[in-house]
């Protein structure tokens, strides 16, 4: 090669190669598929003739070296030991029976050797006594790699299924410290090209963390304090799978191999500081730092051995320089500051190397955040006055002048605003929008004066695809149900559907204020009921709603025709948003990110009708991860996808302030990911299907030509082994979402009914399984969840089949309860109405003075109803009762409120008393039915004292007599009686009525005493004479008999009241003697 620091030499034939350095760094050993090991002198150039060790019978797969020997392992299953730096065979260490050796690793003392092969068990061999073996049993698949933690007895082993186990070998019996799954890519096929990639855990010299290649081919850092990820090495220039990595002797640099290129990173800031391209179309299989020289070497699949001298830039320390000097001794307090040194003194006598030294003591990981589970790829380092081994001389001088005080604050990098479904330009094309409706692509023109925007819909029958020249070069786009929205930094263009031949419905909106730009856009609206090719539906439904997010923290709401409705303050940093048919969900960051890696993302759900906030909550993004996508399900529920591979759905989003996040899929648990390195680009969710694009390796965005949309089944990450339970709960979730989307008057749809029938079938299967296991409680619990009544009969038959009589009785009871209860569809509708019901405005309460009494209302300020006016002249008179010899001794006057409540029971009788006149109770109630309000009593329709000419025997003694003087009308009957008492009676009337009295007296002696009410009703016979009772009934006056003024009581009739014989019936209730 042309570069003078690169030394390359063809060492082996094509295939897998391996590499290691001797302990003193003077020699390098390479092995390959030609079954030979080459021994190279590092100080010599490419023209040297290496030594050869050809004892292996099959390809050499692993090499290791110590202070007194070097070792090789091959596919023939034999591990051989050679004399230090020579090709002379010392002997065999161990031999695996017909199994290929995949890795050999010596500890720092060179006393123990770890050997892995195509076997789930690893082997630990004592180098002083090779017969002494220790087997490590814990993996379920073959072990591929093994590495030792520096200065300890901890060994890390990596298996082909992606499992990493950390072993504690400090005692005779090995112990598993920790097990990690899902970090490294699982590769089980030895013939696969990925099987040759390095999956070792490369330990930092401090032993505080190790580096490993993840499933996404990113290099991540795992802390040894809690065995969680604490960092990631990511750079835009590094594209492709990482095949090998190595750590420098001082721990300051990490070398990675990716697509025939070697990159060198700093371990503190995780930045690429140098790179070197190798032979194209080759795969670098192993890379290593020299333990004593400033040199990197690697081997590739073409059999080349390459050395790169002085790879680190000159302004930075080299790879072997010790960062901890002998003169820097830490204090007992562990602060890392040399004793007797005043760090803030003017003349502290410290050099920059000294500062770097005690800084390294304080943080032996070289800047890694230990014990904190967050993604360092999303972190920045704000450094004030740095002065370490990674800075040039100019910075060092400035650091001295500033007093050599260094402050470092690690913060999580805030996720910037993004448009969901968009990608950056790949050559000259990019995706502006990608969802379930279609795709918007932008292509740069050759003159780069405009972009060609193509809008392509999946359903060609509903919407017509089109394209246009975008002179504004919009970099935001959104496909809504009612139109396509485009935006640049300051201009917004909306193109409603249905206007394909004309642009008269298109409109633009511009931001007038300077230094204000658009950060995100979305357009919502109702789903059309018919095709947009005939403009019949859009005339009524309109063009939906448009929402813009600006850099000032504002949300601008526009109508579908461009009318500006309102500008709302978001109250945080905008991230992204998505719009539905009646709402828009906005994701924002209310405050700052946290030091533990949390993005602190929240959301608000605004309704388009009244622009009210119906929901607000935090996003369930795991710490150390970011939001990747936001969309809408087929049922209209918001859904998100994060970098951790989790999909969450917002349940009960239509119920104000009741929304919850439900995890419906963990893509890391998909069966198709086993043995594959892939990720997913979400598009949408339809029913129980996740629509996405498959991304291979480290690919972050879909490319061109457009890939096919893949369908992946949704599966809630339940820990239960019964898959039916997960299916039922998932179907119940989507059924509830469909129920919530019903309109106010809708009870049910055919789709929901079919879902309920399918769910009931699954419930029957679960109930049958519970009955088979004799788990009656679980069966009863599942029976309560059934929807249709017919399913209860099926469950009862299952109970009969398993002879569960008690369970069958409970099933029938539950069925009867379901039949007697309210219709569940109507109950659900009423519940939805209560959810959306707006509380009434609170009533104004009267003011209260200091004494607790109501204060006098002020003029024109009392809006309450007027007080009731007391009118005593319009109230009914209270009847009085006079005692006679026939009256009851326990009778009392009627209650005071008798006239105000006609349905109130009489208070004249106790519980033990029996009421007489049961036959007349209804008539009496009808006569009092109008007495319900304190109004003047109306005229009675029937006068109980009217003349009865037809029945002479029951002649009313109060009937009108010819020639008698009429009493003037008064307020009540009793006033008339008082007036009659004051009028002298005529002797003629008395003599004329004497015969009648005698006849009545004789009749009373035969029939017994009887009574008459004030309204002319006769009581029951005290002796129970049925015949007499019937005669009294015949004397009743019909209630609907017309009344006239002529039927009033005369003076003569009234005088008879005073001159009644002792046998006359009193108008008083008689106590029941029986």
């Amino acid at each position: 090669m042309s570069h003078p620091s690169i030394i390359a030499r063809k060492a082996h034939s094509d295939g897998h190669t391996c590499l290691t350095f001797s302990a003193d760094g003077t020699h390098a050993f390479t092995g390959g598929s030609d079954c030979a090991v080459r021994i190279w002198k590092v100080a010599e150039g490419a023209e040297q003739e290496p030594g050869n060790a050809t004892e292996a019978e099959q390809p050499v797969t692993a090499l290791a070296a110590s202070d007194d020997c070097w070792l090789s392992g091959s596919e023939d299953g034999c591990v051989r030991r050679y004399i230090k730096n020579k090709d002379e065979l010392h002997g065999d260490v161990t031999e695996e029976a017909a199994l290929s050796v995949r890795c050999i690793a010596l500890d720092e003392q060179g006393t123990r050797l770890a050997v892995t092969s195509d076997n789930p068990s690893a082997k630990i061999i004592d180098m002083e006594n090779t017969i002494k073996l220790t087997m490590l049993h814990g993996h379920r698949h073959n072990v591929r790699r093994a590495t030792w933690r520096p200065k300890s007895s901890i060994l890390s082993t990596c298996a082909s299924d992606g499992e990493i186990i950390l072993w504690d070998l400090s005692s005779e019996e090995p112990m598993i410290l920790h097990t990690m799954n899902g970090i490294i890519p699982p590769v089980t096929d030895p013939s696969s090209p990925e099987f040759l990639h390095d999956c070792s855990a490369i330990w930092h010299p401090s032993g505080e963390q190790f580096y490993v290649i993840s499933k996404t081919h990113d290099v991540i850092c795992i802390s040894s304090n809690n065995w969680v990820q604490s960092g990631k090495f990511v750079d835009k220039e590094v594209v492709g799978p990482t095949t090998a990595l190595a750590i420098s002797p001082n721990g300051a640099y990490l070398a990675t191999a990716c697509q025939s290129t070697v990159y060198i990173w700093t371990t503190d800031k995780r930045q690429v500081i140098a790179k070197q391209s190798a032979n194209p179309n080759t795969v670098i299989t192993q890379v290593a730092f020299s333990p004593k020289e400033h040199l990197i070497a690697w081997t590739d699949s073409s059999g080349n051995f390459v050395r790169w001298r002085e790879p680190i830039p000159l302004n930075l320390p080299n790879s072997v320089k010790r960062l901890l000097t002998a003169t820097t001794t830490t204090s007992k307090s562990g602060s890392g500051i040399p004793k007797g040194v005043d760090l803030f003194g003017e003349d502290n006598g410290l050099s920059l190397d000294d500062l770097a030294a005690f800084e390294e003591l304080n943080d032996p990981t070289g800047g890694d955040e230990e014990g904190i589970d967050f993604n360092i790829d999303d972190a920045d380092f704000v450094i004030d006055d740095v002065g370490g081994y990674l800075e040039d001389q100019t910075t060092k001088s400035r650091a001295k002048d500033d007093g050599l005080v260094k402050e470092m604050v690690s913060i999580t990098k805030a996720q910037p605003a993004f448009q969901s479904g968009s990608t950056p330009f790949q050559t000259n094309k990019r995706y502006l929008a990608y969802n379930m409706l279609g795709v918007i692509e932008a292509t740069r023109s050759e003159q780069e004066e405009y972009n060609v925007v193509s809008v392509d819909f999946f359903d060609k029958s509903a919407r017509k695809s089109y394209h246009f020249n975008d002179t504004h070069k919009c970099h935001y786009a959104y496909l809504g149900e009612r139109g396509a929205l485009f935006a640049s930094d300051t201009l917004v263009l909306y193109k409603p559907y249905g206007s394909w031949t004309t642009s008269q419905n298109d409109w633009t909106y511009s931001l007038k204020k300077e230094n204000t730009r658009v950060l995100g856009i979305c357009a919502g609206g109702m789903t059309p009921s018919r095709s947009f090719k005939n403009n019949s539906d859009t005339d009524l439904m309109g063009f939906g709603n448009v929402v813009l997010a600006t850099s000032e923290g504002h949300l601008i709401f526009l109508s579908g025709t461009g009318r500006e409705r309102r500008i709302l303050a978001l109250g945080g940093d905008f991230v992204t948003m998505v719009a539905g048919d009646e709402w828009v969900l906005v994701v924002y960051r209310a405050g700052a990110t946290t030091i533990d890696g949390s993005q602190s993302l929240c959301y608000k759900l605004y309704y388009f009708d009244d622009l009210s906030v119906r929901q607000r909550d935090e996003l369930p993004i795991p710490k150390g991860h970011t939001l990747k996508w936001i969309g809408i399900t087929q049922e209209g529920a918001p859904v998100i996808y994060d970098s951790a591979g989790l999909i969450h759905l917002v349940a009960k989003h239509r119920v104000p302030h009741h929304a919850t996040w439900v995890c419906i899929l963990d893509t890391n648990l998909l069966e198709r990911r086993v043995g594959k390195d892939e990720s997913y680009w979400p598009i949408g969710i339809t029913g129980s299907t996740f629509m996405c694009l498959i991304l291979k390796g480290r690919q972050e965005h879909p490319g061109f030509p457009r890939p096919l949309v893949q369908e992946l089944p949704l599966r809630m990450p339940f820990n239960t082994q019964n898959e039916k339970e997960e299916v039922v709960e998932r179907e119940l979730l989507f059924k509830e979402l469909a129920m919530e989307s019903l309109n106010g008057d809708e009870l049910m749809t055919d789709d929901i009914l079919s879902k309920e029938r399918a769910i009931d079938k699954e419930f029957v299967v679960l109930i049958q399984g519970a009955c088979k296991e004799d788990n009656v409680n679980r069966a009863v619990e599942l029976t309560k969840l059934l929807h249709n009544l017919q399913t209860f009969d099926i469950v009862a038959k299952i109970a009969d089949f398993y002879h569960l009589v008690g369970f069958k009785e409970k099933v029938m009871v539950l069925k009867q309860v379901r039949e007697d209860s309210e219709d569940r569809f109507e109950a659900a509708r009423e519940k939805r109405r209560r959810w959306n019901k707006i509380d009434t405005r609170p009533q104004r309460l009267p003011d209260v003075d200091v004494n607790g009494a109501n204060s006098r209302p002020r003029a024109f300020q009392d809006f309450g109803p007027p007080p009731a006016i007391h009118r005593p002249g319009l109230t009914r008179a209270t009847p009085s009762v006079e005692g006679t010899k026939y009256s009851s001794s326990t009778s009392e006057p009627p209650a005071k409120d008798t006239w105000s409540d006609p349905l109130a029971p009489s208070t004249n009788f106790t519980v033990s008393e029996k009421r007489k006149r049961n036959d007349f109770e209804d008539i009496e109630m009808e006569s009092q039915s109008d007495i319900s309000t304190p109004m003047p009593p109306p005229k009675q329709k029937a006068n109980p004292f009217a003349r009865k000419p037809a029945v002479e025997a029951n002649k009313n003694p109060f009937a009108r007599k010819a020639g008698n003087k009429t009493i003037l009308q008064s307020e009540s009957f009793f006033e008339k009686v008082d007036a009659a008492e004051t009028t002298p009676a005529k002797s003629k009337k008395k003599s004329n009525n004497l015969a009648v009295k005698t006849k009545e007296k004789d009749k009373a002696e035969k029939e017994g005493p009887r009574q008459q009410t004030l309204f002319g009703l006769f009581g029951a016979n005290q002796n129970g004479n049925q015949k007499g009772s019937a005669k009294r009934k015949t004397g009743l006056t019909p209630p609907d008999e017309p009344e006239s003024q002529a039927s009033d009581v005369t003076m003569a009739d009234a005088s008879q009241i005073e001159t009644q014989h002792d046998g006359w019936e009193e108008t008083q209730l008689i106590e029941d003697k029986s």
Side-chain angles (χ1 to χ4, degrees):
M1 295 184 182
S2 59
H3 198 286
S5 62
I6 298 298
I7 303 174
R9 173 73 182 270
K10 181 72 173 181
H12 304 276
S13 59
D14 294 347
H16 177 67
T17 56
C18 52
L19 167 69
T20 189
F21 280 95
S22 61
D24 54 8
T26 58
H27 291 76
F29 306 91
T30 61
S33 58
D34 54 0
C35 306
V37 178
R38 306 282 191 256
I39 305 174
W40 307 84
K41 295 181 180 179
V42 177
E44 297 183 5
E47 68 282 354
Q48 65 173 308
E49 189 64 27
N52 297 313
T54 58
E55 286 76 16
E57 298 178 359
Q58 292 186 20
V60 179
T61 56
L63 294 171
S66 65
D67 293 335
D68 56 355
C69 66
W70 64 274
L71 307 169
S72 69
S74 59
E75 293 184 359
D76 57 7
C78 185
V79 177
R80 298 173 175 87
R81 177 162 56 180
Y82 293 85
I83 298 176
K84 179 181 178 180
N85 299 336
K86 295 182 180 181
D87 54 4
E88 297 179 10
L89 179 64
H90 184 274
D92 296 342
V93 178
T94 185
E95 184 175 357
E96 299 289 335
L99 297 177
S100 301
V101 176
R102 297 302 177 186
C103 178
I104 55 177
L106 282 167
D107 61 359
E108 286 187 338
Q109 293 77 21
T111 57
R112 287 184 293 185
L113 175 67
V115 180
T116 65
S117 59
D118 291 341
N119 193 323
S121 300
K123 183 186 299 183
I124 306 299
I125 302 174
D126 190 347
M127 292 299 294
E128 298 179 356
N129 183 9
T130 57
I131 301 177
K132 185 178 180 181
L133 301 177
T134 302
M135 301 302 295
L136 305 180
H137 303 284
H139 287 285
R140 293 167 295 179
H141 291 74
N142 299 339
V143 184
R144 295 175 56 189
R145 293 289 190 272
T147 52
W148 292 89
R149 179 182 179 180
K151 303 176 183 178
S152 70
S153 298
I154 296 178
L155 179 72
S156 60
T157 56
C158 306
S160 58
D161 61 347
E163 183 181 43
I164 301 176
I165 297 181
L166 299 165
W167 306 83
D168 185 4
L169 304 178
S170 58
S171 59
E172 294 183 359
E173 188 68 23
M175 181 180 61
I176 297 178
L177 289 179
H178 190 71
T179 301
M180 293 179 287
N181 293 294
I183 296 180
I184 62 176
V187 182
T188 58
D189 186 8
S191 62
S192 174
E194 294 183 353
F195 193 83
L196 303 179
H197 298 175
D198 191 2
C199 66
S200 304
I202 306 300
W203 286 90
H204 191 273
S206 64
E208 298 297 330
Q209 68 273 331
F210 64 84
Y211 307 93
V212 70
I213 302 174
S214 66
K215 293 191 297 185
T216 59
H217 294 297
D218 294 323
V219 179
I220 62 176
C221 177
I222 305 296
S223 174
S224 62
N225 291 338
N226 48 13
W227 308 113
V228 295
Q229 179 180 339
S230 62
K232 180 189 293 186
F233 292 78
V234 177
D235 191 274
K236 295 181 180 179
E237 297 182 359
V238 182
V239 180
T242 302
T243 58
L245 70 163
I247 191 73
S248 64
N250 59 4
Y253 307 102
L254 182 71
T256 62
C258 181
Q259 289 190 350
S260 304
T261 303
V262 176
Y263 298 90
I264 300 179
W265 309 69
T266 58
T267 56
D268 59 346
K269 293 186 178 181
R270 296 175 178 85
Q271 296 177 353
V272 177
I273 59 173
K275 67 177 180 177
Q276 178 62 49
S277 299
N279 294 334
N281 301 324
T282 61
V283 177
I284 299 176
T285 58
Q286 195 160 2
V287 62
F289 278 90
S290 172
K292 299 297 181 181
E293 295 187 23
H294 187 196
L295 179 142
I296 296 177
W298 65 84
T299 57
D300 55 32
S301 59
S302 299
N304 297 315
F305 171 54
V306 183
R307 287 170 286 173
W308 182 12
R309 296 186 179 276
E310 298 182 356
I312 310 301
L314 298 178
N315 61 335
L316 299 176
N318 58 39
S319 60
V320 295
K321 180 181 179 182
R322 294 185 59 85
L323 303 179
L324 179 59
T325 61
T327 58
T328 35
T329 307
T330 60
S331 61
K332 294 182 180 180
S333 61
S335 62
I337 303 176
K339 294 182 179 180
V341 176
D342 184 9
L343 181 62
F344 299 93
E346 296 181 358
D347 187 12
N348 49 32
L350 285 177
S351 64
L352 292 173
D353 291 338
D354 294 334
L355 268 179
F358 71 76
E359 178 194 345
E360 182 68 14
L361 283 177
N362 281 333
D363 187 7
T365 66
D368 290 345
E369 287 73 23
E370 302 174 19
I372 300 175
D373 182 15
F374 77 101
N375 191 343
I376 201 64
D377 177 55
D378 299 328
D380 285 341
F381 292 92
V382 180
I383 301 177
D384 182 17
D385 193 11
V386 295
Y389 58 87
L390 296 180
E391 299 298 331
D392 53 11
Q393 187 64 31
T394 305
T395 307
K396 293 178 182 179
S397 316
R398 181 180 56 83
K400 274 190 175 182
D401 296 338
D402 292 340
L404 297 176
V405 177
K406 175 177 179 179
E407 294 180 1
M408 177 179 293
V409 179
S410 61
I411 59 174
T412 303
K413 183 180 179 180
Q415 181 178 2
F418 70 97
Q419 189 73 20
S420 184
S422 65
T423 66
F425 270 105
Q426 302 178 24
T427 62
N428 62 340
K429 300 191 70 174
R430 65 174 295 190
Y431 294 105
L432 290 177
Y434 209 137
N435 58 19
M436 294 298 296
L437 296 178
V439 183
I440 299 179
E441 299 177 0
T443 305
R444 289 175 179 169
S445 61
E446 296 181 356
Q447 297 80 11
E448 297 185 358
E449 296 179 354
Y450 59 89
N451 294 338
V452 179
V453 178
S454 300
V455 182
D456 188 15
F457 296 99
F458 297 136
D459 188 1
K460 306 293 184 181
S461 62
R463 301 173 180 87
K464 183 179 179 181
S465 303
Y466 65 97
H467 66 275
F468 64 95
N469 295 334
D470 178 20
T471 58
H472 303 289
K473 296 183 179 181
C474 297
H475 45 268
Y476 298 114
Y478 191 93
L479 272 180
E481 292 287 350
R482 294 284 165 176
L485 184 63
F486 306 88
S488 61
D489 287 338
T490 58
L491 181 68
V492 177
L493 170 64
Y494 188 56
K495 299 177 73 66
Y497 303 142
S499 57
W500 311 116
T501 58
T502 178
S503 60
Q504 62 180 359
N505 292 327
D506 298 353
W507 53 267
T508 59
Y509 178 84
S510 300
L511 298 179
K512 304 299 183 181
K513 193 173 182 179
E514 297 182 358
N515 300 325
T516 303
R517 59 188 181 90
V518 176
L519 296 181
I521 58 175
C522 68
M526 297 293 295
T527 303
S529 59
R530 60 184 67 183
S531 175
F532 275 106
K533 293 183 178 180
N534 47 9
N535 295 333
S536 59
D537 190 71
T538 57
D539 295 336
L540 296 178
M541 300 303 299
F543 296 139
N545 296 271
V546 175
V547 184
L548 313 177
T550 65
S551 57
E552 290 187 333
H554 289 161
L555 295 177
I556 303 177
F557 288 82
L558 307 170
S559 66
T561 58
R563 178 176 60 90
E564 193 166 5
R565 298 179 58 191
R566 199 163 300 174
I567 299 178
L568 301 181
L570 181 58
D573 298 333
F574 171 81
V575 178
T576 187
M577 60 181 169
V578 65
D581 53 356
E582 56 184 349
W583 49 261
V584 56
L585 188 144
V586 183
V587 179
Y588 68 101
R589 184 183 301 101
T593 59
T594 60
I595 195 172
D596 58 354
S598 175
Q599 289 290 330
S600 302
L601 297 182
C602 305
Y603 80 92
K604 291 181 181 179
L605 193 143
Y606 296 88
Y607 261 58
F608 287 131
D609 290 340
D610 53 1
L611 301 182
S612 61
V613 178
R614 297 295 181 91
Q615 309 290 347
R616 66 176 73 206
D617 196 2
E618 297 180 356
L619 263 64
I621 305 297
K623 295 179 180 179
H625 295 276
T626 56
L627 179 65
K628 290 295 185 181
W629 174 81
I630 184 171
I632 304 175
T633 64
Q634 185 181 15
E635 291 79 10
V639 62
I640 63 172
Y641 177 78
D642 54 41
S643 59
L646 301 177
I647 298 179
H648 288 85
L649 178 143
V650 182
K652 297 187 181 300
H653 66 281
R654 291 177 58 89
V655 185
H657 309 294
H658 282 69
T660 56
W661 288 102
V662 180
C663 183
I664 58 176
L665 179 63
D666 185 357
T667 57
N668 300 309
L669 303 179
L670 292 175
E671 295 180 357
R672 60 169 291 122
R673 294 203 66 174
V674 177
K676 296 181 181 179
D677 183 16
E678 63 183 23
S679 57
Y680 308 99
W681 176 265
I683 296 177
I685 293 179
T686 304
S688 295
T689 305
F690 175 43
M691 314 296 292
C692 63
L693 303 178
I694 305 298
L695 305 179
K696 298 295 184 180
R698 299 185 62 181
Q699 188 180 5
E700 297 183 358
H701 307 286
F704 294 91
R706 190 188 309 165
L708 296 176
V709 178
Q710 303 292 328
E711 298 181 1
L712 301 180
L714 291 179
R715 177 179 172 82
M716 302 173 72
F718 282 8
N719 296 320
T720 179
Q721 300 297 329
N722 194 344
E723 296 183 358
K724 288 291 184 180
E725 295 182 2
E726 185 275 333
V727 173
V728 169
E729 293 300 327
R730 174 161 36 89
E731 294 299 329
L732 283 175
L733 173 64
F734 285 102
K735 193 263 295 185
E736 292 175 1
L737 293 177
M739 291 281 292
E740 294 172 7
S741 61
L742 294 175
N743 294 330
D745 297 332
E746 285 184 315
L747 286 177
M748 191 56 56
T749 61
D750 295 337
D751 181 56
I752 296 177
L753 290 176
S754 62
K755 287 183 179 181
E756 288 185 349
R757 287 192 292 269
I759 294 173
D760 282 355
K761 292 180 181 179
E762 300 294 340
F763 274 135
V764 170
V765 175
L766 293 176
I767 292 173
Q768 183 179 5
C771 293
K772 187 176 182 180
E773 298 175 357
D774 200 18
N775 192 350
V776 178
N777 293 329
R778 174 65 64 85
V780 173
E781 176 184 338
L782 296 174
T783 306
K784 294 179 181 179
L785 302 177
L786 295 176
H787 299 89
N788 301 307
L789 292 176
Q790 296 81 358
T791 315
F792 286 88
D793 299 331
I794 299 175
V795 175
K797 294 179 180 179
I798 295 176
D800 286 336
F801 180 80
Y802 288 99
H803 305 288
L804 300 175
V805 180
F807 173 56
K808 181 180 178 181
E809 294 178 354
K810 295 179 181 179
V811 171
M812 302 313 296
V813 170
L814 292 176
K815 180 182 177 182
Q816 185 65 34
V817 171
R818 182 69 61 85
E819 291 176 348
D820 297 340
S821 61
E822 183 183 2
D823 185 75
R824 58 189 180 90
F825 297 142
E826 295 181 357
R829 183 177 62 181
E830 293 300 324
K831 189 175 182 179
R832 293 194 301 270
R833 289 177 176 176
R834 290 196 304 269
W835 285 340
N836 298 322
K837 182 180 179 181
I838 301 177
D839 296 336
T840 58
R841 190 176 179 182
Q843 298 292 332
R844 182 186 296 274
L845 299 177
D847 298 332
V848 180
D849 57 11
V850 295
N851 297 325
N854 293 338
S855 61
R856 184 177 182 180
R858 298 181 181 180
F860 306 106
Q861 293 187 6
D862 186 7
F863 301 98
I869 302 176
H870 180 62
R871 302 178 184 273
L874 298 180
T875 58
R876 288 187 175 273
T878 303
S880 61
V881 179
E882 295 182 1
T884 63
K885 64 179 180 179
Y886 299 105
S887 61
S888 173
S889 60
T890 60
S891 62
E892 297 178 359
K896 188 176 183 179
D897 57 346
T898 302
W899 294 100
S900 62
D901 188 0
L903 299 180
S906 175
T907 58
N908 296 341
F909 300 94
T910 61
V911 179
S912 61
E913 295 175 346
K914 294 184 179 179
R915 295 184 59 186
K916 304 299 180 180
R917 304 193 314 275
N918 290 333
D919 298 332
F920 307 100
E921 181 178 1
D922 295 338
I923 300 175
E924 183 179 359
M925 296 301 294
E926 289 179 2
S927 65
Q928 300 179 8
S929 60
D930 294 337
I931 312 173
S932 59
T933 56
M935 297 295 294
K939 290 185 178 181
Q940 297 181 0
K941 295 182 179 180
N943 189 356
F945 302 100
R947 186 186 303 276
K948 306 295 188 302
V951 184
E952 190 67 24
N954 296 330
K955 182 177 180 181
N956 188 355
F958 296 98
R960 181 184 301 275
K961 306 300 182 194
N964 293 337
K965 185 178 180 180
T966 317
I967 301 177
L968 297 177
Q969 285 185 331
S970 61
E971 293 294 332
S972 65
F973 169 76
F974 300 98
E975 294 180 4
K976 296 179 181 181
V977 174
D978 295 338
E981 291 178 351
T982 56
T983 305
K986 296 181 179 181
S987 59
K988 183 179 180 178
K989 293 293 180 180
K990 182 176 181 179
S991 61
N992 292 338
N993 293 333
L994 183 58
V996 177
K997 293 180 182 179
T998 306
K999 186 184 295 185
E1000 292 292 334
K1001 182 177 180 181
D1002 297 336
K1003 186 176 181 180
E1005 292 176 356
K1006 295 179 180 180
E1007 297 180 359
R1010 59 182 177 177
Q1011 64 179 356
Q1012 181 176 352
T1013 63
L1014 297 177
F1015 299 97
L1017 301 179
F1018 295 92
N1021 192 351
Q1022 185 176 1
N1023 298 327
N1025 191 347
Q1026 298 295 332
K1027 182 177 179 180
S1029 176
K1031 289 180 180 181
R1032 286 189 297 272
K1033 288 181 181 180
T1034 58
L1036 291 176
T1037 303
D1040 56 348
E1041 183 178 343
E1043 179 186 6
S1044 63
Q1045 182 65 28
S1047 63
D1048 290 340
V1049 181
T1050 61
M1051 294 293 295
D1053 296 333
S1055 62
Q1056 294 180 6
I1057 299 177
E1058 294 295 326
T1059 59
Q1060 282 292 348
H1061 193 268
D1062 295 337
W1064 178 251
E1065 294 84 355
E1066 180 66 20
T1067 59
Q1068 174 67 31
L1069 294 176
I1070 301 176
E1071 183 180 0
D1072 190 359
K1073 301 299 182 179
S1074 61

